[in-house]
Amino acid sequence: MLYPSNLEQKINFNKIKEILKSECSSSLGMDFVDKVSFSSDSKLVVRLLDQTEEFRQILVSGEAFPTSNFTNLNPYLEKAKLENSFLDAADFHEVKLSLQTLRTCVSFFQKNEEVYPVLSQLLGLLIDLDLSLLKSIDEIIDEKGNVKNNASRELQLIRSQIIYEEGRLRKVMERVFKEARAKGLTPEDAQMTVRSGRLVIPVAAENKRKLRGFIHDESATGQTVFMEPEEALDINNEIRDLEYMEPREIIKILTKLTDRLRPAIPALRKATNFLGLMDFIRAKAKFAQKTNSARPEITKERQLIWRNARHPLLEMALKAQGKKVVPLQIKLSGHERLLVISGPNAGGKSVTLKTVALLQYMLQCGLLIPVEPDSKSSLFDNFFIDIGDEQNLENDLSTYSSHLMSMKYFSNFADRKTILFIDEFGTGTEPQFGGAIAEAILLALKKLGAYGVLTTHYGNLKQVASKNQGLVNGAMRYDVDKLEPMYQLEIGKPGSSFALEIASKIGISKDILAYAKSQIGEDRVRYDRLLTQLENEKNQYSELLTEVNSKDRLLKTRLQEYKELKETLETTKKKYIQEAKEEAKLLLDQANKKIESTIRQIKEGKAEKESTKLVRQELEAFKEKVKPEKIKVKVPSIVVLPGEIKVGDWVRLKDNGAIGEVLQLKSKEVEISIGELKSNVKLSRLERISQGEVKKEKKAIGVRGNFNTNEKMMDFSMNLDLRGKRGEEILSLIQTFIDEGYMLGIKDLRIVHGKGNGILRDLTRNFLKDMSQVRQMEDEHADRGGAGVTLVTLK
């Protein structure tokens, strides 16, 4: 049950339909858009959502699927169903193109039945279609929509004879024209032409009796007549007879082909329906892709748990202005079924209400909605709204009366299967009475078990929502210091109108504000002040939390760097110790051999003084040879130069020691080049050094150790190519790639995984989604790889 009758206009669903129509490629798809309607049948809605989601996957994968010739065949089928009627060549050409599209669709889904099982079920519409009809049409109609010469033996003979006779006619005409020109019968620069479908020769009027033939026409001045020579009359008549025979033969061929088509008309009607359905589903998938929509989980339990919900029309409008929409976090469930949103004017209450209303309606019409894929939703039988002014002069209804009529309808027909939306609940009459009536209606709706969203400024409704199970407050956050709405919904607390604060900031006199406060009452002022204080503290804590999270991410990065450095040092240490042990063992073996040899020589020389002295000298020389050298490495220190930093100067980052060249100065920021990497850095982070010091620094890098930020930046590539890799290989590669990029302060990275079956792309994106360093990811531009490349933006 829907209320009111103009519900779709109220929530702008008619504009969604217009966008869907613009995505269709045929009138068939547009007709399906016109038939879109609200449904509470869970099986139907789930099937429609699955169809759209599968087609969205086809679009994302980039697989070849027909994009044209979704033609409405019904007019041709109506024409062909009459006995002895026939379709002309152009009609058959349209049928042929549509059958080719159908054949491609059948082939695609048969090949990918396991990948797209829900869409493949639609092939049941084509079960009676005999695609051999396409072969029959193809034998008669060519690619340009003309009847082929070999469509029948008779047609081939007729067209061959026409060509022959036309060639013979031209030869005769050229001969006669040449003779007439030689005799001076034709005007200067005259050429053969066509009159009344026949080839004629221009002849001067005074010479018309000198050439035997038939006059077909004359010039406007009467000085030239156009004659068909006597020799050409019979040939032209023969050609004319053949030209009459050709269409008769074509009609005969087309009538026979129409008779071949006529039994297939019922199957072709179903096929036409299939084409329209494919065009319609593709339009829904293209809209989903454009709005980054997803398929939420449909649950039997009544609930709406949406993460990052966005109004599609608002998002597109803001995107055109270079702005971003603020996503909403929505939660409606058993104990918090009715959400009462309060807050300042122009703070986003009505937009939030319309967003939830539109997305729920879209969902129950089988459209994917702009929320995160892990969102959950359920279906409702009744959908009620009360938005805007329903004043009706004809029925003598005021604005408030029209609202009361809606409330009467809601209270009579709402139940646990109802979702409703009421904007500016209770307004339109004296606040004391309007608030009381609104409170009573709210409690009645709660008792009926209805779900929904309501917006209000009334304090009594906020208090009722905070005290009753089944109701929950929601506040639109507001920056009191800047007097700017934040467009963020916070569920669980009431919002303030911030009327006094806004009035004070604007400059309303203190006397006026003091009187206003006295009229409002101290309790109410204190209550509103507490809400304002709570909002300010919330903003402060949010900023602190953001700062803490940022520091936490930095700490994790530094810990990871330390861990990697420690592991590198441990590995290197073990390696060097092992090498030293092996070398020491070798030297020890050599020393023992040398000593044994020396002792043997001394014994053999019977301790002769000269011989012993010579042997000792050899032993000392060997000792000096194996003695380790003391290598002193002097690491040059960087000398900071005084003066202003200019374009072309070499500079060093104070915090990590990276060295770069200044490319451009931008106020308090400097664009520097570190190897192949360009980066914008604050001027206060840089110190100027000489070019000679740069060379010394680069030489010293090899001595300082393996872990050097500057060297990392020089060697780091912002592109990672995963093509040809196995699934289990890529995770560690991605982890290292993202960690190094984040550690080096690089914001934009590029991962090439190719399209294929989408396995590497899905693995990559699912892995990136869980990485805290990643801010967002998106497809590369279509000209530079499209869905085969993922662009990653780091935090």
Side-chain angles (χ1 to χ4, degrees):
M1 188 185 301
L2 303 178
Y3 180 88
S5 58
N6 61 344
L7 182 150
E8 292 190 355
Q9 288 74 25
K10 289 275 188 180
I11 61 174
N12 288 326
F13 186 70
N14 56 327
K15 293 183 180 179
I16 300 293
K17 281 186 172 181
E18 290 301 319
I19 296 174
L20 288 175
K21 284 185 178 182
S22 68
E23 298 291 353
C24 293
S25 63
S26 71
S27 61
L28 289 172
M30 295 180 188
D31 290 342
F32 272 97
V33 174
D34 288 330
K35 296 174 185 176
V36 168
S37 60
F38 180 89
S39 174
S40 58
D41 184 342
S42 60
K43 290 184 179 179
L44 173 61
V45 172
V46 167
R47 186 169 72 250
L48 294 175
L49 293 174
D50 288 342
Q51 288 173 354
T52 310
E53 173 59 22
E54 287 186 0
F55 213 115
R56 189 190 67 81
Q57 291 172 13
I58 293 174
L59 296 178
V60 171
S61 70
E63 294 180 81
F65 192 86
T67 58
S68 58
N69 299 319
F70 290 83
T71 308
N72 183 3
L73 299 180
N74 288 320
Y76 309 127
L77 301 180
E78 283 295 317
K79 183 178 176 182
K81 75 178 183 180
L82 300 174
E83 289 292 335
N84 300 320
S85 63
F86 66 91
L87 300 180
D88 58 32
D91 297 341
F92 271 115
H93 186 240
E94 292 296 331
V95 175
K96 176 182 175 180
L97 294 176
S98 295
L99 287 172
Q100 289 174 343
T101 298
L102 287 165
R103 182 178 61 186
T104 308
C105 290
V106 170
S107 174
F108 179 87
F109 287 124
Q110 286 179 342
K111 188 166 50 177
N112 298 281
E113 186 174 358
E114 293 183 1
V115 184
Y116 310 114
V118 181
L119 286 175
S120 298
Q121 290 175 4
L122 295 175
L123 291 180
L125 291 170
L126 306 179
I127 195 168
D128 298 326
L129 183 64
D130 183 6
L131 285 174
S132 65
L133 177 62
L134 175 59
K135 183 180 179 182
S136 300
I137 297 175
D138 198 40
E139 290 173 351
I140 304 299
I141 308 297
D142 64 17
E143 294 304 317
K144 294 182 179 179
N146 299 315
V147 177
K148 293 182 177 180
N149 291 339
N150 61 350
S152 73
R153 188 170 181 277
E154 291 77 7
L155 183 63
Q156 192 168 21
L157 289 172
I158 291 169
R159 288 182 173 175
S160 298
Q161 189 65 25
I162 288 173
I163 293 170
Y164 170 76
E165 294 295 342
E166 285 177 343
R168 192 160 70 94
L169 174 65
R170 181 160 292 279
K171 289 180 181 178
V172 170
M173 291 293 291
E174 285 175 351
R175 177 176 58 77
V176 174
F177 180 64
K178 189 175 181 181
E179 291 173 356
R181 176 175 283 181
K183 294 177 182 179
L185 301 180
T186 63
E188 293 183 9
D189 300 328
Q191 296 293 333
M192 287 188 296
T193 184
V194 176
R195 289 292 187 275
S196 303
R198 290 175 176 257
L199 203 59
V200 294
I201 296 173
V203 177
E206 63 270 18
N207 298 324
K208 64 184 178 182
R209 299 190 183 280
K210 297 179 181 178
L211 182 68
R212 295 178 63 83
F214 181 79
I215 298 174
H216 283 277
D217 198 4
E218 66 177 6
S219 65
T221 60
Q223 295 180 358
T224 303
V225 296
F226 298 94
M227 298 186 64
E228 180 183 4
E230 185 179 38
E231 294 94 324
L233 280 172
D234 289 340
I235 301 175
N236 266 324
N237 289 337
E238 181 66 24
I239 292 173
R240 185 60 61 88
D241 285 343
L242 290 169
E243 287 175 345
Y244 286 140
M245 293 171 63
E246 182 183 15
R248 287 198 297 269
E249 181 60 26
I250 288 174
I251 290 173
K252 184 178 176 182
I253 294 168
L254 295 177
T255 301
K256 187 176 179 181
L257 185 59
T258 304
D259 292 341
R260 166 74 175 82
L261 175 142
R262 193 170 290 115
I265 286 178
L268 287 172
R269 289 194 190 280
K270 292 181 181 179
T272 301
N273 194 46
F274 174 86
L275 289 174
L277 201 52
M278 283 295 108
D279 191 27
F280 169 60
I281 296 172
R282 182 179 58 186
K284 292 196 295 181
K286 288 171 69 177
F287 176 73
Q289 195 176 29
K290 184 180 292 185
T291 55
N292 197 24
S293 295
R295 181 202 183 284
E297 179 186 350
I298 305 299
T299 64
K300 291 183 178 180
E301 180 187 354
R302 304 282 177 192
Q303 60 179 343
L304 262 69
I305 304 175
W306 294 345
R307 197 163 62 85
N308 293 335
R310 306 171 309 279
H311 194 296
L313 300 176
L314 177 61
E315 186 173 30
M316 286 190 283
L318 290 177
K319 189 175 182 180
Q321 301 172 24
K323 301 177 182 178
K324 290 186 177 180
V325 71
V326 179
L328 299 170
Q329 317 305 323
I330 303 295
K331 182 178 180 182
L332 298 178
S333 57
H335 297 306
E336 297 179 345
R337 300 188 305 273
L338 286 167
L339 173 61
V340 180
I341 303 176
S342 51
N345 285 320
K349 298 189 301 298
S350 296
V351 172
T352 299
L353 180 142
K354 290 179 180 178
T355 299
V356 180
L358 177 60
L359 297 193
Q360 182 64 27
Y361 195 85
M362 286 172 58
L363 184 72
Q364 295 199 225
C365 287
L367 299 177
L368 303 184
I369 57 176
V371 296
E372 295 299 321
D374 57 357
S375 299
K376 297 180 180 179
S377 192
S378 55
L379 307 181
F380 297 89
D381 292 350
N382 305 319
F383 194 101
F384 301 158
I385 66 166
D386 181 45
I387 301 174
D389 187 359
E390 288 292 336
Q391 187 175 21
N392 191 321
L393 297 178
E394 292 181 4
N395 296 330
D396 195 24
L397 280 178
S398 66
T399 301
Y400 185 64
S401 297
S402 67
H403 285 309
L404 287 179
M405 291 293 290
S406 297
M407 294 308 102
K408 175 186 173 184
Y409 190 91
F410 291 6
S411 57
N412 285 341
F413 296 103
D415 55 23
R416 294 182 182 277
K417 299 179 181 179
T418 299
I419 188 166
L420 50 87
F421 303 90
I422 306 173
D423 194 23
E424 299 294 345
F425 192 27
T427 58
T429 189
E430 187 176 339
Q432 185 176 358
F433 293 100
I437 294 173
E439 182 177 334
I441 293 172
L442 180 59
L443 291 172
L445 294 174
K446 182 205 74 127
K447 189 176 181 181
L448 291 169
Y451 287 69
V453 179
L454 308 90
T455 67
T456 187
H457 284 287
Y458 288 160
N460 65 313
L461 298 185
K462 303 177 195 177
Q463 293 175 4
V464 168
S466 64
K467 295 176 181 177
N468 287 271
Q469 195 176 60
L471 305 177
V472 62
N473 274 305
M476 299 308 300
R477 296 186 60 194
Y478 194 80
D479 192 324
V480 182
D481 294 329
K482 297 180 181 178
L483 291 180
E484 291 179 353
M486 300 172 69
Y487 303 113
Q488 295 176 359
L489 172 65
E490 184 176 357
I491 296 177
K493 70 161 196 171
S496 169
S497 63
F498 299 104
L500 294 174
E501 289 76 10
I502 295 172
S504 178
K505 288 278 186 181
I506 290 174
I508 301 294
S509 74
K510 293 182 179 179
D511 293 339
I512 294 175
L513 291 176
Y515 179 80
K517 289 178 182 179
S518 67
Q519 293 298 111
I520 296 170
E522 189 62 32
D523 290 343
R524 177 62 188 174
V525 172
R526 191 182 302 112
Y527 175 75
D528 218 47
R529 189 183 297 126
L530 286 172
L531 288 178
T532 303
Q533 183 180 347
L534 185 63
E535 184 65 27
N536 285 332
E537 290 177 356
K538 173 76 176 179
N539 293 341
Q540 291 173 8
Y541 288 138
S542 294
E543 292 174 2
L544 287 172
L545 183 61
T546 302
E547 185 179 350
V548 169
N549 288 337
S550 177
K551 289 181 179 179
D552 186 53
R553 287 195 298 271
L554 183 61
L555 179 60
K556 287 180 180 178
T557 302
R558 294 292 178 260
L559 286 173
Q560 182 66 25
E561 291 173 8
Y562 170 76
K563 183 180 178 182
E564 291 176 357
L565 180 58
K566 184 179 178 182
E567 288 176 355
T568 302
L569 290 174
E570 289 291 338
T571 304
T572 307
K573 178 182 175 183
K574 290 177 182 178
K575 177 184 175 184
Y576 287 160
I577 290 173
Q578 182 64 28
E579 289 177 354
K581 286 180 178 179
E582 291 175 358
E583 191 173 349
K585 184 177 182 300
L586 180 64
L587 289 173
L588 188 61
D589 291 343
Q590 291 177 354
N592 287 334
K593 288 178 182 178
K594 190 67 177 176
I595 291 170
E596 289 173 2
S597 174
T598 301
I599 293 170
R600 188 171 59 252
Q601 289 179 25
I602 291 173
K603 285 182 178 179
E604 288 174 356
K606 296 181 180 180
E608 292 181 6
K609 187 178 281 188
E610 289 298 325
S611 177
T612 302
K613 185 177 180 181
L614 183 62
V615 171
R616 286 183 180 278
Q617 287 176 352
E618 290 179 0
L619 186 60
E620 286 296 325
F622 176 75
K623 182 179 177 181
E624 288 297 324
K625 180 181 177 182
V626 300
K627 185 178 181 180
E629 295 182 12
K630 291 185 179 180
I631 302 173
K632 291 185 179 180
V633 180
K634 184 178 180 181
V635 179
S637 60
I638 295 292
V639 178
V640 179
L641 299 179
E644 295 181 356
I645 295 175
K646 300 176 182 177
V647 175
D649 285 348
W650 286 86
V651 292
R652 182 177 68 171
L653 271 74
K654 296 176 183 177
D655 44 6
N656 63 16
I659 292 175
E661 183 181 2
V662 177
L663 301 178
Q664 188 177 355
L665 295 172
K666 305 175 182 176
S667 183
K668 294 184 180 180
E669 286 193 345
V670 180
E671 183 180 358
I672 63 173
S673 170
I674 305 174
E676 296 180 356
L677 175 68
K678 292 182 181 179
S679 179
N680 289 324
V681 182
K682 289 186 178 180
L683 186 62
S684 58
R685 292 179 59 198
L686 301 175
E687 50 192 8
R688 183 166 166 258
I689 61 175
S690 69
Q691 191 168 356
E693 296 290 336
V694 173
K695 294 178 181 177
K696 294 179 185 177
E697 173 71 0
K698 288 183 178 177
K699 288 180 182 178
I701 287 173
V703 180
R704 295 182 190 179
N706 292 328
F707 191 81
N708 185 278
T709 306
N710 188 40
E711 188 176 13
K712 284 277 186 183
M713 285 188 174
M714 297 280 283
D715 297 336
F716 185 79
S717 172
M718 289 180 284
N719 287 282
L720 176 62
D721 194 343
L722 301 177
R723 289 175 294 184
K725 300 285 192 299
R726 297 176 63 84
E728 57 267 25
E729 298 176 52
I730 67 170
L731 299 183
S732 59
L733 294 175
I734 295 172
Q735 181 73 57
T736 303
F737 181 61
I738 296 298
D739 286 345
E740 289 186 0
Y742 187 74
M743 180 181 68
L744 297 173
I746 299 170
K747 295 295 183 185
D748 299 311
L749 301 175
R750 191 170 182 270
I751 300 177
V752 181
H753 41 64
K755 295 178 181 177
N757 293 325
I759 296 172
L760 285 183
R761 181 185 66 248
D762 291 344
L763 281 173
T764 299
R765 294 187 178 180
N766 288 335
F767 189 66
L768 289 171
K769 191 187 299 180
D770 296 330
M771 297 188 74
S772 60
Q773 302 100 313
V774 176
R775 182 189 298 276
Q776 68 175 35
M777 51 187 167
E778 59 186 355
D779 288 347
E780 173 65 279
H781 189 276
D783 295 338
R784 296 188 289 276
V789 178
T790 296
L791 300 179
V792 182
T793 303
L794 301 183
K795 295 179 180 176

